Amino acid sequence: MHRVARGDKDAFSALYDALAPVVFGIVMRLVRDRAQSEEVAQEVMIDLWRRAARYRSEAGSVISWAATIAHRRAVDRVRSAQAATDRENAQAAHGHHTAYDDVAERVETRLESEQVRRCLRGLTELQRQAVTLAYYQGLTYREVAETLRTPLPTVKTRMRDGLIRLRDCMGVTA
């Protein structure tokens, strides 16, 4: 490594021959794409050439130093690729427009709600009570009859008549 740090090309050639297969193996296990692994392994080897002066033998062997650099570079590449994919997916999701107009749909819902309220006001008080208890509170015919203390057949008649008037008021034709 000291000779490589001084720019000795023969020393780097020997280092390359010794470490390139190890570096490539580490990178390939993480990146899993051969072309990208070759690219990352080459970057690692160039990094070893450039950073040779920083190597300290007391910190570990050359192979462990190279393996650490290779592992970090491979992880960086995987994270970078994942981030790019996430950005593309987010951009695609952001660029996707719904097939309906949300504002128009809310306006339409509000207008329908107002029409239902207007039509409910057109019912008799007894019909409105029965329909409101059944549809807005979810009570059954029997529960509506018990709540209003009214015979069940009377409640059914009020609800039937009220629903017919609501249907006519709302303009439903089915």
Side-chain angles (χ1 to χ4, degrees):
M1 282 307 292
H2 297 297
R3 288 179 36 215
V4 172
R6 289 190 303 258
D8 185 335
K9 291 180 182 174
D10 292 331
F12 180 70
S13 180
L15 180 73
Y16 188 94
D17 291 342
L19 294 180
V22 174
V23 167
F24 180 74
I26 292 168
V27 172
M28 185 66 180
R29 270 194 311 263
L30 292 168
V31 176
R32 295 191 177 158
D33 176 76
R34 185 168 188 82
Q36 284 198 29
S37 295
E38 289 171 355
E39 187 177 314
V40 172
Q42 176 133 5
E43 290 171 6
V44 170
M45 296 309 295
I46 291 169
D47 205 21
L48 291 174
W49 169 263
R50 290 180 181 156
R51 296 171 63 185
R54 295 182 191 166
Y55 170 72
R56 299 288 174 252
S57 59
E58 59 274 2
S61 68
V62 173
I63 196 161
S64 64
W65 185 56
T68 300
I69 293 171
H71 185 268
R72 287 180 183 161
R73 282 285 179 117
V75 168
D76 287 347
R77 178 61 62 99
V78 169
R79 287 180 180 159
S80 175
Q82 183 61 48
T85 300
D86 292 346
R87 278 191 305 274
E88 289 172 6
N89 290 342
Q91 188 173 9
H94 180 68
H96 181 265
H97 297 288
T98 53
Y100 64 92
D101 184 353
D102 187 46
V103 174
E105 188 171 312
R106 280 189 265 149
V107 168
E108 186 177 335
T109 301
R110 182 173 292 148
L111 290 173
E112 287 173 356
S113 297
E114 289 174 9
Q115 185 179 9
V116 168
R117 283 191 291 276
R118 182 178 48 78
C119 290
L120 278 171
R121 285 192 300 268
L123 302 179
T124 67
E125 182 61 30
L126 299 173
Q127 289 171 338
R128 186 172 37 256
Q129 283 177 334
V131 170
T132 301
L133 289 171
Y135 286 91
Y136 290 111
Q137 294 184 18
L139 301 181
T140 64
Y141 285 119
R142 186 170 308 285
E143 292 169 333
V144 171
E146 290 170 3
T147 301
L148 296 176
R149 293 190 178 112
T150 306
L152 182 60
T154 303
V155 166
K156 287 183 176 183
T157 300
R158 287 179 186 167
M159 286 183 64
R160 186 196 72 227
D161 292 346
L163 290 174
I164 290 170
R165 288 178 74 177
L166 280 174
R167 181 192 67 199
D168 293 343
C169 179
M170 296 288 294
V172 176
T173 59

